[in-house]
Amino acid sequence: MASPSDLREWIALLERERELHRVTVEVDPDLEITEITDRTVKSKGPALLFENIKGSKHQLLINQFGTERRMCLAFGVDRLDDVAAKLGNLLEMTPPQGLVEKVRSLGKLKSIADSMPKDVSKGACQEIVLTGDDVDLDALPIMRCWPEDPAPFITLPAVITRDPSTGVRNVGMYRMQKIDRRSTFMHWQIHKDGRADLLASPDGTIPVAVAIGLDPVTAYSASAPLPKHIGEFMVAGFLKGSPVELVQCKTIDLQAPANAEIVLEGTVSRDDVGLEGPFGDHTGYYTPAEEFPIFRISAVTMRRDAIYPSIVVGVPPAEDEWLGKATERIFLPAIRMSVPEIVDYDLPTAGAFHNCVIVSIHKRFPGHAKKVMYAIWGLGLLSLSKSVVVVDAHVDVHDYEQVFFQVCANVDPKRDVVLTEGPLDQLDHSPTLQSYGGKLGFDATAKGADEGARDWPPPIRMTDAVRELVDARWAEYALPAPDVGVSGKNGPGRGGSRQSVRR
Ligand SMILES: Cc1cc2nc3c(=O)[nH]c(=O)nc-3n(C[C@H](O)[C@H](O)[C@H](O)COP(=O)(O)O)c2cc1C
Ligand SMILES: [Mn+2]
């Protein structure tokens, strides 16, 4: 299964797979679409294509990423772990020994070379070019998501910048509050690469291109927390198996994906700022108004009948759940490169991704669990994690009931809880200071005398002989079939939805 080449192919695939519902009656992008979408997401319903939107000629796609199945369809895989395996295979490349291995490595290297974005001279995203006074964001069906949002927000953009010192391209997903027909805010937070590009600019101004309406893998890549020097479009090309094609923008010196539905071109300046927000965010709360730079738009280019994609975040679970879960799975091999003792990890959706990390490890020495906590608090955007729970290798980190048992049973709060401090998500409202505060670690692994514990008792387990005996005699007891899958998992429905993601 190849992943779709643009948004239209993706919509067609969703429709063939009965994963799309077309809404033909007129709906209001002011709050109404949010309520419809939120109900659909929370009941694991289909992607929605709104064909008739009040005040706009454009169709709006939403909930394209709302389930694990659709996320797998987007990547052309059966399980998200298959995407991780592909990346892990590449990362674990060692110097080749024999001839056969050399040839195989060449293949892998070629797949990296083939993943680099490719310049093309024409793109569907430039069928219509509007500049100057013709730029009009009012024409797009931009949603106002929640009642206390002051304006509509573009919520699914791929924001393209370039590091002024190195020339390296960055792509990030940063919401954009509409200000008027020709400007928006640019909500890149303090830890993000787009903001770093602006700060590195010698004259305080950088060109910015915003691609809206991409194939799902390229759209996902904008949300991927990659190290700054690694290009999101290169990773998208690698995951898709074909390069992202880029066209030269019309009014700025940047390139944008040729397959985009819509591209906004413009500039952002350090001194040109205003109060952005509040916004009903993925934290489940409104993030308060705060100063952010303004994006001044010099051109809008688009397809003739451009489709506008959107996403609603809010109290979890929301549609961004599976974008986050894709990142959780895809980054496991990369995390293991630096912290190889990690067996698996889970970022609970209810923890809004940065509030809690559960991690299982092969424990080998005293203080090992603490070493892993500090490693996580030092790794990319995982460094913003507020709490870390470390369990032994045999524990299923995706089974929250099991994890809760381990924490309750194995933790002496005086000995096994780490309370420290460090950087936190800029949007987290709970710390006293913004972006900085407390961190909590639970060492829920088994401890021995070398860690100040008494003899650790053996866990309870039936002998294999008796288990086999009962297996063999099960029918004789004439018991009703046990209701497997209901107990022990993460509550009805939730646990089941994770089955295929599990390792
Ligand atoms: C739907 C969605 C909306 C997001 N909105 C923002 C945002 O407004 N500001 C922000 O800094 N990050 C936002 N993020 C997270 C970033 O996209 C993510 O941290 C990404 O790694 C940023 O790219 P960068 O690492 O190149 O800066 C959002 C993610 C998703 C999935
Ligand atoms: Mn980046």
Side-chain angles (χ1 to χ4, degrees):
M1 265 192 305
S3 63
S5 67
D6 62 13
L7 190 75
R8 280 144 204 260
E9 206 178 294
W10 175 222
I11 289 171
L13 174 65
L14 289 172
E15 197 146 42
R16 278 200 308 280
E17 294 287 331
R18 300 181 182 280
E19 290 281 354
L20 183 89
H21 178 78
R22 290 173 185 267
V23 179
T24 52
V25 293
E26 189 184 83
V27 294
D28 198 332
D30 190 73
L31 306 183
E32 190 184 274
I33 294 183
T34 298
E35 182 61 20
I36 302 167
T37 305
D38 198 44
R39 292 186 197 190
T40 308
V41 170
K42 288 191 166 55
S43 63
K44 301 193 190 302
L48 302 173
L49 187 66
F50 290 98
E51 296 185 335
N52 187 355
I53 296 186
K54 191 173 164 190
S56 178
K57 292 199 312 276
H58 299 275
Q59 300 187 340
L60 181 148
L61 176 71
I62 200 160
N63 201 21
Q64 57 176 307
F65 298 117
T67 62
E68 182 181 13
R69 175 160 196 265
R70 285 203 290 284
M71 209 67 210
C72 287
L73 280 174
F75 282 99
V77 294
D78 293 328
R79 302 158 71 247
L80 288 174
D81 278 322
D82 296 344
V83 186
K86 195 171 155 189
L87 208 61
N89 191 6
L90 190 78
L91 288 172
E92 278 155 25
M93 218 162 84
T94 46
Q97 304 289 320
L99 187 64
V100 176
E101 249 186 87
K102 277 194 182 125
V103 173
R104 206 175 296 138
S105 315
L106 280 176
K108 286 185 192 172
L109 286 177
K110 186 171 174 304
S111 78
I112 303 184
D114 291 344
S115 306
M116 300 307 284
K118 195 170 105 187
D119 290 333
V120 294
S121 59
K122 273 178 74 165
C125 70
Q126 294 179 336
E127 281 171 4
I128 293 176
V129 177
L130 302 167
T131 57
D133 261 355
D134 291 335
V135 170
D136 184 9
L137 292 182
D138 289 345
L140 297 177
I142 306 175
M143 292 170 60
R144 192 166 71 100
C145 298
W146 297 105
E148 287 177 37
D149 294 359
F153 284 77
I154 298 172
T155 51
L156 207 61
V159 177
I160 302 160
T161 53
R162 205 175 309 116
D163 185 323
S165 47
T166 63
V168 173
R169 182 187 292 114
N170 191 72
V171 191
M173 190 171 283
Y174 318 117
R175 75 180 187 228
M176 296 158 59
Q177 177 184 333
K178 184 177 155 198
I179 299 172
D180 54 34
R181 293 172 66 219
R182 294 173 55 187
S183 60
T184 74
F185 286 108
M186 185 54 75
H187 186 264
W188 44 45
Q189 295 154 218
I190 58 168
H191 306 107
K192 308 304 170 80
D193 295 342
R195 179 174 184 269
D197 288 348
L198 175 61
L199 296 187
S201 149
D203 65 354
T205 298
I206 54 169
V208 176
V210 176
I212 301 169
L214 299 168
D215 66 87
V217 173
T218 308
Y220 159 77
S221 77
S223 77
L226 292 164
K228 190 166 190 302
H229 61 282
I230 298 186
E232 284 83 2
F233 284 160
M234 187 271 283
V235 171
F238 177 76
L239 295 176
K240 285 201 300 179
S242 62
V244 174
E245 297 190 338
L246 300 172
V247 280
Q248 182 61 38
C249 289
K250 295 290 182 187
T251 58
I252 51 172
D253 185 18
L254 280 178
Q255 294 79 40
N259 71 1
E261 295 289 319
I262 302 164
V263 176
L264 311 179
E265 306 179 1
T267 53
V268 173
S269 302
R270 273 206 293 269
D271 307 328
D272 185 16
V273 296
L275 265 191
E276 195 261 12
F279 178 69
D281 219 318
H282 75 286
T283 57
Y285 289 86
Y286 286 97
T287 49
E290 202 182 339
E291 208 168 75
F292 276 92
I294 296 170
F295 174 50
R296 305 273 174 198
I297 303 174
S298 51
V300 176
T301 75
M302 57 176 131
R303 295 187 187 227
R304 233 164 258 115
D305 51 352
I307 301 169
Y308 173 88
S310 181
I311 186 169
V312 174
V313 297
V315 180
E319 184 185 341
D320 58 339
E321 168 173 28
W322 287 101
L323 286 169
K325 283 291 160 194
T327 289
E328 176 201 291
R329 291 297 92 199
I330 292 168
F331 279 71
L332 178 59
I335 290 169
R336 281 215 200 101
M337 291 292 288
S338 323
V339 196
E341 58 269 52
I342 290 182
V343 176
D344 200 357
Y345 76 136
D346 186 284
L347 311 183
T349 303
F353 298 106
H354 55 261
N355 288 335
C356 181
V357 177
I358 303 164
V359 55
S360 57
I361 63 165
H362 286 295
K363 182 173 169 178
R364 285 186 289 111
F365 48 78
H368 202 158
K370 288 175 182 150
K371 180 234 183 210
V372 171
M373 290 172 200
Y374 294 122
I376 286 177
W377 287 326
L379 268 181
L381 285 182
L382 268 184
S383 65
L384 305 180
S385 306
K386 196 152 60 174
S387 62
V388 177
V389 177
V390 186
V391 294
D392 282 311
H394 65 87
V395 179
D396 178 357
V397 292
H398 309 298
D399 183 341
Y400 303 151
E401 194 81 21
Q402 236 189 79
V403 172
F404 194 66
F405 165 67
Q406 297 287 324
V407 172
C408 294
N410 291 354
V411 170
D412 171 351
K414 197 113 194 230
R415 186 193 57 209
D416 302 329
V417 169
V418 173
L419 195 56
T420 182
E421 52 197 63
L424 293 174
D425 189 296
Q426 185 175 359
L427 304 183
D428 187 337
H429 56 271
S430 66
T432 309
L433 298 175
Q434 191 181 16
S435 307
Y436 181 79
K439 305 254 184 195
L440 184 62
F442 293 93
D443 175 358
T445 60
K447 270 127 316 205
D450 52 3
E451 290 182 308
R454 290 174 293 147
D455 276 350
W456 204 256
I460 301 170
R461 192 174 180 279
M462 185 45 70
T463 63
D464 286 344
V466 172
R467 289 168 63 91
E468 280 159 25
L469 170 88
V470 170
D471 278 349
R473 296 197 57 197
W474 190 256
E476 275 181 66
Y477 310 138
L479 284 160
D483 197 0
V484 265
V486 169
S487 67
K489 299 300 170 202
N490 304 323
R494 308 287 303 151
S497 77
R498 293 301 316 275
Q499 290 297 349
S500 60
V501 193
R502 294 215 178 107
R503 323 206 78 241

